[in-house]
């Protein structure tokens, strides 16, 4: 299994509060991704990173920001959580070189915004 | 944006039966990936396909990269109870910035009756 951990694994927060989710990898992979998974929508890309301090938006980036100050850590921040951001969040990593375009996923964080 | 149509949405089969599911798109992809997700866990990569027409097996699983590069299928032979889960296809595309990202199907939920 790829060395990917996510923290916390579960979180309940109130509307309007800031929330930060952390993804940590031990594989030294260049690319890191944040997805959200919702019934009927599958996995949707929020933001991704292609190197330290290099990030870009995915298809559902509104209301989210990210930071990557080290290769191993990729943080997802909800500046002011809303109920529509209740979801399961997955981090993924990829080497992105040669034939290694596979993405490997972490265990997920279940976030509930009340 | 790019979309993948995955079918069927769900399947109910008897143990020992073979299973087939597929993904189609109006867009061309350079890579097709198949994932399985168990409840409460992140998706796990099953098979990766890199060339049009490629047929790849992983145990009882067989997947093919369509000749048109717009579709892929996954077959599971002689299903067993542990095959239960949600299966996702994903196609790889290149962003304008040159980074790779995946587009996911909405999944096929497989139930196997013993």
């Amino acid at each position: 299994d790829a060395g990917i951990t996510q923290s916390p694994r579960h979180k309940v927060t109130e509307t309007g509060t800031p929330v930060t989710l952390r993804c940590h990898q031990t594989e030294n992979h260049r690319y890191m991704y944040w997805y959200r998974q919702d019934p009927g929508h599958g996995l949707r890309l929020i933001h991704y990173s292609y190197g330290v301090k290099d990030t870009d938006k995915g298809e559902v980036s509104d209301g989210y920001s990210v930071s990557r100050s080290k290769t191993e850590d990729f943080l997802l921040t909800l500046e002011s959580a809303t109920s529509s951001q209740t979801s399961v969040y997955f981090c993924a990593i990829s080497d992105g070189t040669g034939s290694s375009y596979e993405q490997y996923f972490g265990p997920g964080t279940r976030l509930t915004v009340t | 944006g790019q979309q993948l149509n995955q079918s069927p949405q769900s399947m109910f089969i008897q143990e020992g039966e073979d299973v087939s599911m597929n993904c189609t798109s109006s867009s061309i992809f350079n890579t097709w990936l198949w994932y399985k997700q168990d409840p409460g866990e992140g998706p796990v990569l099953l098979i990766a396909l890199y060339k049009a027409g490629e047929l790849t097996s992983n145990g009882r699983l067989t997947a093919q990269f369509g000749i048109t590069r717009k579709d892929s299928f996954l077959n599971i032979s002689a299903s067993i109870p542990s095959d239960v889960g949600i299966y996702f296809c994903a196609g790889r595309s290149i962003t304008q910035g040159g980074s790779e990202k995946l587009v996911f199907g909405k999944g096929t939920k497989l139930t196997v009756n013993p």
Side-chain angles (χ1 to χ4, degrees):
Chain A
D1 291 342
I4 312 169
T5 56
Q6 292 184 233
S7 58
R9 293 294 314 278
H10 301 271
K11 186 171 182 65
V12 180
T13 191
E14 293 183 348
T15 297
T17 59
V19 177
T20 296
L21 308 182
R22 179 181 183 238
C23 177
H24 178 78
Q25 60 144 329
T26 59
E27 304 296 320
N28 200 36
H29 280 2
R30 177 183 177 189
Y31 294 90
M32 299 185 76
Y33 308 82
W34 277 107
Y35 292 89
R36 60 178 291 174
Q37 185 175 39
D38 305 289
H41 291 280
L43 285 154
R44 293 181 292 174
L45 182 65
I46 305 172
H47 281 280
Y48 65 98
S49 169
Y50 47 97
V52 173
K53 298 186 179 179
D54 292 323
T55 64
D56 204 349
K57 297 178 180 180
E59 62 178 301
V60 290
S61 59
D62 287 349
Y64 301 95
S65 62
V66 290
S67 65
R68 190 169 179 199
S69 58
K70 298 184 291 185
T71 297
E72 57 266 34
D73 290 325
F74 193 31
L75 304 180
L76 177 70
T77 298
L78 291 65
E79 301 291 347
S80 178
T82 67
S83 58
S84 65
Q85 292 176 312
T86 292
S87 185
V88 181
Y89 292 86
F90 287 100
C91 174
I93 65 174
S94 171
D95 186 273
T97 60
S99 63
S100 298
Y101 290 110
E102 300 96 345
Q103 290 186 18
Y104 296 92
F105 285 81
T109 294
R110 182 172 294 276
L111 177 67
T112 302
V113 183
T114 61
Chain B
Q2 295 170 309
Q3 290 187 344
L4 293 183
N5 300 308
Q6 187 171 350
S7 65
Q9 284 187 312
S10 61
M11 302 182 73
F12 297 84
I13 63 171
Q14 294 296 124
E15 182 176 359
E17 290 183 353
D18 296 343
V19 173
S20 184
M21 60 192 77
N22 68 84
C23 275
T24 62
S25 175
S26 59
S27 302
I28 290 174
F29 292 98
N30 295 319
T31 302
W32 284 91
L33 307 174
W34 284 92
Y35 289 85
K36 181 192 178 200
Q37 185 176 25
D38 292 327
E41 299 183 11
V44 175
L45 182 66
L46 299 173
I47 292 180
L49 302 158
Y50 294 100
K51 294 171 56 177
E54 180 181 356
L55 185 71
T56 297
S57 294
N58 178 8
R60 294 178 296 105
L61 278 60
T62 301
Q64 184 158 27
F65 192 143
I67 290 293
T68 65
R69 294 165 60 192
K70 294 182 180 180
D71 61 344
S72 178
F73 72 76
L74 174 71
N75 286 341
I76 305 173
S77 63
S79 59
I80 59 178
S82 62
D83 290 335
V84 166
I86 302 178
Y87 292 79
F88 292 97
C89 63
R92 180 178 72 91
S93 64
I94 305 295
T95 68
Q96 288 184 338
S99 299
E100 58 102 355
K101 65 176 183 179
L102 294 181
V103 178
F104 284 84
K106 294 185 178 179
T108 295
K109 184 176 182 179
L110 179 63
T111 302
V112 180
N113 296 315

